Amino acid sequence: MKRVYFLIVAALALCCVGCTTGLNEVGAGASKSTVLTVAVQSPTKVALGDKNGDGGYSATWSEGDKISVNGYISEEALLSPANPSTAQFEFKDAVLNYPYNILYPASADNVIRFAAEQNYVEGSFESDTTPMYACVADASKGINLKHLGAVLKFNLKGSGVILKSMTIKSGSGAIAGEFALDFATGKITPSSAVSTIDYSFGDGLAL
């Protein structure tokens, strides 16, 4: 008998836990570089790392991660080998004016996207599938990214079974696709969304 678990990200309400960030602006005028330092504190953000001594899981940024501010896309995350929960995001030649409407993953049109097709990642979930946002009114405010969805954990056990794929269906509304976001309230509204998520185990996962 073998037991496995897997994680699916969906547009469901949950308690929001923020990640603290720092802000450093370099230069002035049209040729401006802004660097945001983002520290991940919740185990349901970005990607899951190794299990820690408290029995929980660390969370880490991944290579290629980007954020957006007011529709401007950052450079790829500059990762910290000493602290994989922290990364820097640089905006080159972009004049960023308050309020800062911040999204992860980056979105030039400020549209929230929950993947309707997701793939199995052992012990974690795919990068870029956990939308978060922040709305920063002015320089006196800290940046606090908040979740827009939930990570669902499923446990399966069996013997002699090969899992190829499965479909998760909501009986009460949209859980994937495109959503409009009210940055002031954090409310998301389906715009081109579906009530199902197709989950693939690739070549198959043996139980």
Side-chain angles (χ1 to χ4, degrees), residues 12-137:
L12 302 173
L14 82 167
C15 225
C16 292
V17 180
C19 51
T20 60
T21 67
L23 173 64
N24 180 33
E25 295 185 358
V26 182
S31 220
K32 188 174 185 179
S33 176
T34 302
V35 178
L36 299 179
T37 301
V38 182
V40 185
Q41 294 182 330
S42 166
T44 56
K45 293 176 181 175
V46 192
L48 292 186
D50 297 328
K51 199 168 188 177
N52 58 40
D54 297 326
Y57 287 86
S58 60
T60 64
W61 292 102
S62 302
E63 279 190 34
D65 277 342
K66 296 182 180 182
I67 62 173
S68 60
V69 177
N70 300 345
Y72 290 101
I73 308 297
S74 73
E75 300 297 307
E76 290 187 0
L78 179 61
L79 306 179
S80 171
N83 185 3
S85 293
T86 299
Q88 290 188 328
F89 299 88
E90 182 177 5
F91 295 81
K92 293 182 178 178
D93 299 322
V95 179
L96 303 180
N97 298 311
Y98 291 104
Y100 284 178
N101 290 327
I102 304 172
L103 287 179
Y104 170 84
S107 173
D109 54 11
N110 284 335
V111 172
I112 305 303
R113 295 176 174 88
F114 287 89
E117 296 180 358
Q118 298 182 33
N119 298 297
Y120 174 72
V121 176
E122 184 177 0
S124 187
F125 39 78
E126 290 184 288
S127 182
D128 284 355
T129 58
T130 54
M132 296 181 287
Y133 86 103
C135 183
V136 183

Side-chain angles (χ1 to χ4, degrees), residues 140-203:
S140 68
K141 307 294 183 183
I143 300 173
N144 187 29
L145 294 182
K146 298 178 181 179
H147 293 284
L148 289 167
V151 176
L152 309 178
K153 181 178 179 180
F154 294 84
N155 288 287
L156 297 176
K157 62 180 179 179
S159 180
V161 177
I162 304 295
L163 296 176
K164 290 284 191 177
S165 65
M166 66 186 305
T167 297
I168 307 301
K169 183 176 177 62
S170 167
S172 59
I175 57 173
E178 296 186 350
F179 296 76
L181 169 65
D182 183 333
F183 279 92
T185 65
K187 181 181 179 180
I188 57 175
T189 304
S191 55
S192 179
V194 295
S195 61
T196 59
I197 293 175
D198 292 325
Y199 194 83
S200 172
F201 293 92
D203 293 333

